[in-house]
Amino acid sequence: MNLQGIAAVVTGGGSGLGAATARELARRGAKVAVLDINAAAAQSVAEAIGGIACVCDITSPESVEAALARASAAHGAARVLMNVAGIGGAKRVVQRDGSAAPLEQFRRIVEVNLVGSYNVLRLAAAAMAKLDPLDDGERGVIVNTASAAAFDGQVGQAAYSASKGGVAAMTLPLARDLAQHGIRVLTIAPGLFLTPLLHELPEEVQRSLGESIPFPKRLGKPEEFAALAAHIAENAALNGEVIRIDGALRLPPR
C-alpha cells in the first residue's frame, strides 16, 4: 500500500512507540489521526505532524466509535490502523504478606491490552470492509502490538504476558477472517525499547538493560518500531504474522 494520502489511525499515538509511529506515517505521506486517552499528548503529536487528535478510551465501544467518526470526517475512512495503545504492570500471584494478587489488576491489563485492541480493530475493520479495493485488491491493514513478554514473560508478568500473548494468538485467525475483505492483520512484538517508562529509570539501569540485548547492545529506538510498522503497511505480502523486534533478546525469569 502506498501511504501517500492514505488515512491512518494510531492508538496510543500521544507518546512512545505510538507517537513515533504517527510521525513516521505522516512522514511517508499518510493523513494521521492520533488517538490517545491523554488529550494534551494527542494534541501535541497531532499538531507536530499536521494530523488530528482524538481523545479515545480503547476499552469503550462508544469512545472508539466517536474517535473513528471524528478521524473519518477529517481524513476519510482509514485504511491503516496501528493498534499501539496499552498498559503495563507487574504483580506476583502470592504477595509478600501471603495474600493473593488482586484480580482487578489482572482484569484491567487484559481489558486494555487485549480487549481494547480487539475493540478498535473490529470497528476499524468493519469500516475498511466497505471501502473500494485498491489496485491490488487491498482495502486495509491492521497492525497490533504484542511484546516479547508474550513468549518469555518474567516473574510478575502473568497479566501482561497473558494480554500480549492473546494479541499474538489472535493474529492469524484475524488475518484469515479478514482476508475475504482484502484486509491484512499483523502484530509487532517489541523487546526493550526506550519508551517514556524506561526514560524514567536511572541512566545506569538503562545501560544495563541495553547490554542484556545480544545485538545491537542498546535499547530499541521508537523510530525503529515505527519504521517496521510503516514497512508492514507498505508491503502487501506481509500478512498473518507476529514479528519480533528485539535484537535477539530472550527475557530472563527476572
Side-chain angles (χ1 to χ4, degrees):
M1 182 186 297
N2 184 344
L3 292 174
Q4 188 65 42
I6 292 292
V9 169
V10 181
T11 70
S15 64
L17 302 180
T21 301
R23 287 192 292 267
E24 181 62 19
L25 292 176
R27 190 185 71 80
R28 299 192 189 201
K31 298 179 291 185
V32 182
V34 180
L35 275 59
D36 204 288
I37 199 165
N38 185 323
Q43 188 62 39
S44 177
V45 174
E47 288 179 356
I49 65 174
I52 183 173
C54 305
V55 179
C56 182
D57 173 0
I58 64 171
T59 67
S60 164
E62 296 77 16
S63 181
V64 174
E65 287 172 352
L68 293 180
R70 175 173 162 78
S72 182
H75 296 156
R79 291 188 184 271
V80 175
L81 167 63
M82 297 291 176
N83 247 337
V84 190
I87 60 173
K91 192 78 71 174
R92 286 178 178 264
V93 178
V94 180
Q95 303 293 283
R96 289 184 181 276
D97 62 2
S99 64
L103 181 59
E104 185 51 41
Q105 190 244 16
F106 188 99
R107 181 179 284 123
R108 175 62 179 165
I109 291 174
V110 172
E111 179 73 14
V112 173
N113 294 350
L114 178 55
V115 180
S117 293
Y118 181 78
N119 185 35
V120 182
L121 178 152
R122 69 185 181 90
L123 295 169
M128 288 179 190
K130 297 180 177 69
L131 299 176
D132 293 331
L134 301 174
D135 291 342
D136 60 358
E138 186 175 18
R139 286 188 171 85
V141 58
I142 296 167
V143 181
N144 295 317
T145 306
S147 167
F151 311 103
D152 31 84
Q154 298 178 297
V155 169
Q157 287 187 326
Y160 186 70
S161 293
S163 69
K164 294 301 188 178
V167 171
M170 71 180 179
T171 305
L172 183 58
L174 286 171
R176 288 170 165 171
D177 185 344
L178 295 174
Q180 63 183 312
H181 302 292
I183 300 170
R184 295 183 290 124
V185 182
L186 293 101
T187 294
I188 300 175
L192 296 175
F193 272 73
L194 194 54
T195 58
L197 182 63
L198 289 188
H199 263 301
E200 296 175 2
L201 297 176
E203 194 170 316
E204 60 270 21
V205 176
Q206 294 183 30
R207 189 181 307 110
S208 175
L209 288 171
E211 289 174 352
S212 71
I213 300 171
F215 188 83
K217 283 192 167 298
R218 58 167 174 79
L219 296 173
K221 301 175 183 178
E223 294 77 15
E224 292 167 328
F225 176 96
L228 175 57
H231 176 74
I232 288 172
E234 292 178 334
N235 191 333
L238 291 171
N239 195 15
E241 188 57 86
V242 179
I243 303 173
R244 290 181 70 138
I245 178 169
D246 57 18
L249 173 70
R250 296 299 178 266
L251 296 171
R254 291 178 177 80

